[in-house]
């Protein structure tokens, strides 16, 4: 099969990581993989694994972007892919407009993935217009069912995102060179009990709650140090500056590519998103490393913790409960790190189920293949 995946950029984040993982699985299985985006730091890895990248700023929020549908249709006609997979709303509109204008016998099969709990609108409804729709969790599938009741739920497959257990494995020990560089760059972390919040500096990630949590935790566990791992969104620089000023006992690392090592040396990871998320990749990755997680029990994060580490769930917004749970972990870390991952959250399983779905569409089979995907 020739498969085209379309998204705004290949920079960082869960959508980009999932795109990369599927692309690598496709090429490893002998299929042809093309990714369309405006580019980014993950393109080099994508191409080294055998995929082609077509640079196209198809996610720019500008009226002219939608006008690219005609040019995109001509490109599809030349490439003749078997599958067109849209992973974000504006690119999905361009894909759908181009796809709809093609002769039916010349169209690729059209797939969309609901990666987020988007605002409910006609604009967001494009993500459920695929001939098959992938929901990244039961949370995301329930969102589709509740907000788009006219959609045939038989075409909506829940395929969990997965964790790369070769990269995020229990017992990961960062090398001496990495540790020396970390201590040099962040000397305040030396000998401290690290509590890590992964996430870009935006309000939704709960940094203000994290500041509150660390202030409470520091009263009982003065050796604790907060670590925020994530870059600054250019649209939210004022917020980022405010958080840095207020976070007196918190280290801000900026965007990093060594999150596995950082979470491996941490005593705990927290997830404090203010709104429910469709999934919670960093939660899953931390648990795979054996690092306990404390997170708000809503959305995909609550779903993962229920499956894997129920002791880490706390009520949304209860920073006191978060601080107390973290205190318990710091007091007795050995009892907190024995989470066992459910097989459903394996990246190889995610890739196999997705490629099976592609194959079913190409072969024209019904969507009742026994691949273990959830439709209920």
């Amino acid at each position: 099969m020739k498969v085209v995946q379309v998204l705004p950029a290949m920079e960082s984040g869960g959508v980009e990581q999932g795109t990369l993982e599927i692309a690598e699985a496709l090429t490893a299985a002998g299929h042809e993989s093309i990714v369309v985006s405006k580019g980014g730091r993950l393109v080099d890895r994508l191409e080294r694994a055998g995929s082609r990248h077509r640079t196209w700023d198809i996610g720019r929020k500008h009226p002219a972007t939608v006008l690219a549908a005609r040019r995109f249709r001509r490109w599809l006609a030349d490439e003749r892919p078997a599958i067109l997979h849209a992973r974000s709303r504006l690119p999905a509109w361009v894909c759908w407009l181009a796809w709809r204008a093609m002769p039916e016998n010349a169209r690729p099969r059209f797939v969309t993935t609901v990666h987020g709990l988007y605002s409910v609108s006609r604009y967001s409804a494009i993500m459920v217009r695929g001939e098959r729709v992938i929901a990244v969790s039961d949370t995301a599938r329930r969102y589709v069912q509740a907000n788009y009741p006219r959609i045939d739920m038989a075409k909506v497959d829940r395929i969990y995102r997965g964790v790369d257990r070769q990269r995020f494995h229990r017992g990961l020990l960062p090398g001496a060179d990495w540790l020396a560089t970390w201590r040099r760059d962040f000397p305040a972390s030396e000998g401290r009990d690290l509590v890590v919040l992964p996430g870009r500096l935006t309000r939704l990630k709960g940094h203000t709650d994290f500041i509150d949590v660390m202030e409470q935790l520091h009263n009982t566990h003065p050796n604790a140090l907060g670590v925020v791992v994530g870059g600054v969104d250019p649209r939210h620089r004022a917020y980022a500056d405010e958080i840095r000023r207020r976070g007196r006992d918190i280290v801000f690392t900026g965007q990093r590519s060594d999150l596995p090592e950082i979470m491996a040396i941490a005593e705990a990871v927290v997830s404090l998103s203010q709104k429910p998320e469709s999934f919670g990749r960093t939660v899953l990755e931390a648990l795979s490393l054996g690092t306990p997680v404390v997170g708000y029990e809503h959305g995909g994060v609550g779903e993962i913790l229920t499956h894997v580490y129920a002791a880490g769930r706390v009520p949304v917004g209860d920073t006191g409960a978060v601080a107390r749970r973290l205190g318990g972990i710091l007091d007795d870390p050995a009892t907190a790190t024995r989470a066992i991952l459910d097989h459903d959250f394996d990246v190889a399983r995610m890739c196999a189920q997705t490629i099976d779905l592609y194959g079913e569409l190409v072969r024209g089979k019904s969507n009742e293949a026994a691949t273990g995907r959830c439709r209920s």
Side-chain angles (χ1 to χ4, degrees):
M1 294 181 291
K2 180 189 289 191
V3 176
V4 173
Q5 299 182 83
V6 187
L7 70 165
M10 286 295 291
E11 197 61 55
S12 65
V15 177
E16 292 85 344
Q17 185 64 32
T19 300
L20 184 62
E21 289 162 350
I22 294 299
E24 290 176 341
L26 284 166
T27 57
H31 302 295
E32 187 174 352
S33 166
I34 305 172
V35 172
V36 178
S37 83
K38 73 172 183 179
R41 65 184 185 86
L42 294 177
V43 170
D44 181 60
R45 177 179 163 187
L46 177 81
E47 293 181 332
R48 279 190 281 109
S51 290
R52 279 195 285 144
H53 181 264
R54 173 71 158 83
T55 303
W56 204 326
D57 193 357
I58 206 166
R60 184 168 64 104
K61 292 182 178 179
H62 189 278
T65 302
V66 176
L67 298 178
R70 180 178 297 179
R71 188 158 59 99
F72 190 70
R73 174 176 56 80
R74 291 196 296 266
W75 180 80
L76 286 174
D78 290 339
E79 286 289 348
R80 301 179 64 189
I83 298 289
L84 175 62
H85 187 167
R87 292 181 172 272
S88 183
R89 287 176 292 178
L90 188 51
W93 274 107
V94 175
C95 290
W96 183 75
L97 290 169
W99 177 83
R100 187 182 62 170
M102 298 176 74
E104 285 193 30
N105 61 358
R107 291 174 180 168
R109 305 308 299 268
F110 186 38
V111 178
T112 54
T113 292
V114 177
H115 282 282
L117 308 181
Y118 317 108
S119 59
V120 180
S121 63
R122 292 184 64 186
Y123 175 62
S124 298
I126 189 63
M127 299 312 297
V128 297
R129 286 196 180 181
E131 294 178 280
R132 294 284 282 277
V133 178
I134 297 171
V136 299
S137 63
D138 285 331
T139 296
R141 197 173 191 278
R142 287 193 293 268
Y143 156 86
V144 172
Q145 190 166 25
N147 294 294
Y148 299 97
R150 295 184 180 181
I151 297 301
D152 177 6
M153 292 302 294
K155 74 172 187 176
V156 182
D157 296 81
R158 187 266 281 142
I159 301 180
Y160 278 130
R161 304 299 85 187
V163 62
D164 182 351
R165 297 187 195 182
Q166 292 185 338
R167 188 173 178 224
F168 296 88
H169 62 86
R170 192 180 299 275
L172 173 67
L173 295 174
D177 290 345
W178 183 90
L179 286 169
T181 301
W182 172 263
R183 291 167 183 152
R184 183 197 68 208
D185 293 344
F186 305 103
S189 68
E190 180 70 23
R192 304 288 294 276
D193 295 326
L194 305 185
V195 178
V196 174
L197 172 65
R200 287 182 297 176
L201 292 178
T202 64
R203 294 184 188 277
L204 291 179
K205 292 298 182 181
H207 299 95
T208 55
D209 281 11
F210 189 48
I211 291 170
D212 190 19
V213 166
M214 293 310 300
E215 287 176 350
Q216 295 181 61
L217 183 63
H218 203 257
N219 291 332
T220 57
H221 296 77
N223 199 48
L225 177 70
V227 179
V228 172
V229 183
V232 176
D233 188 321
R235 297 169 298 177
H236 302 286
R237 291 195 185 278
Y239 170 77
D241 291 342
E242 174 196 346
I243 293 301
R244 285 174 173 147
R245 284 194 302 270
R246 292 181 54 196
R248 292 189 298 272
D249 203 35
I250 296 175
V251 167
F252 295 87
T253 71
Q255 180 66 43
R256 304 279 298 197
S257 60
D258 52 357
L259 186 58
E261 288 79 9
I262 297 171
M263 294 197 297
I265 66 170
E267 296 299 320
V269 169
V270 294
S271 175
L272 306 176
S273 294
Q274 302 300 289
K275 292 184 178 180
E277 297 181 305
S278 60
F279 198 60
R281 182 183 286 270
T282 55
V283 168
L284 193 58
E285 291 168 344
L287 292 170
S288 186
L289 290 165
T291 302
V293 174
V294 179
Y296 288 156
E297 54 180 343
H298 60 171
V301 170
E303 187 175 334
I304 291 170
L305 289 173
T306 297
H307 277 286
V308 182
Y309 187 64
R313 297 176 301 178
V314 295
V316 178
D318 191 342
T319 58
V322 177
R324 290 191 296 273
R325 196 65 52 85
L326 288 171
I329 290 169
L330 296 182
D331 288 339
D332 193 3
T335 64
T337 59
R338 299 284 71 93
I340 300 174
L341 275 178
D342 189 296
H343 179 64
D344 278 354
F345 296 116
D346 182 72
V347 70
R349 181 183 176 95
M350 176 197 79
C351 292
Q353 290 182 340
T354 303
I355 293 173
D356 282 350
L357 183 150
Y358 292 161
E360 291 170 26
L361 274 173
V362 170
R363 293 189 300 271
K365 290 187 177 181
S366 73
N367 57 7
E368 295 301 324
T371 59
R373 296 190 303 272
C374 174
R375 293 189 179 82
S376 59

